[in-house]
Amino acid sequence: MDYNQLAYLHLATILPAFLIATYLLINRKGSPLHKALGKAYMGLMLFTAMVTLFMPAQVGSAFVGHFGFIHIFSFSVFISVPLAYFAARSGNMTLHIGNMIGLYMGGILIAGAFAFSPGRLLHSWLFT
């Protein structure tokens, strides 16, 4: 796959993840719908993080091959999603909530803000 195909695949997974996560954050917790959407959200986030690992850094420094600083968010998904899942399964809601809020803030909002910055592909698609 070329970079643009990976970018489209990434958008196709991160946009529904953003919508689901926003819904989950503002609605009732613990319901069967919350649990089902939460699993879908976690799956989308894991898949989108995998996709981004194949996308070389195009802005800023690269290290260990083609990874850039934005890939730190991708790697953090592989830690926070399993932690949050197993925390919820074991009833540790404090750990679950902390990881889910961190995933939303870092993995979607902060990484998304970087994606809109000048020099990045999404910025060029939307503003040029």
Side-chain angles (χ1 to χ4, degrees), residues 31-113:
S31 68
L33 179 61
H34 176 89
K35 292 175 183 180
L37 288 175
K39 289 175 186 173
Y41 168 62
M42 289 179 172
L44 285 166
M45 289 302 291
L46 288 169
F47 186 80
T48 203
M50 277 191 281
V51 168
T52 62
L53 295 180
F54 294 99
M55 300 171 74
Q58 295 190 330
V59 175
S61 302
F63 54 92
V64 190
H66 71 267
F67 298 116
F69 290 109
I70 197 155
H71 287 98
I72 292 169
F73 294 107
S74 303
F75 292 115
S76 71
V77 169
F78 297 121
I79 297 168
S80 63
V81 167
L83 273 175
Y85 176 79
F86 289 114
R89 298 278 301 173
S90 67
N92 186 344
M93 299 321 295
T94 302
L95 183 61
H96 173 74
I97 291 166
N99 275 279
M100 288 292 88
I101 291 173
L103 181 62
Y104 185 79
M105 297 296 291
I108 294 179
L109 298 182
I110 295 172

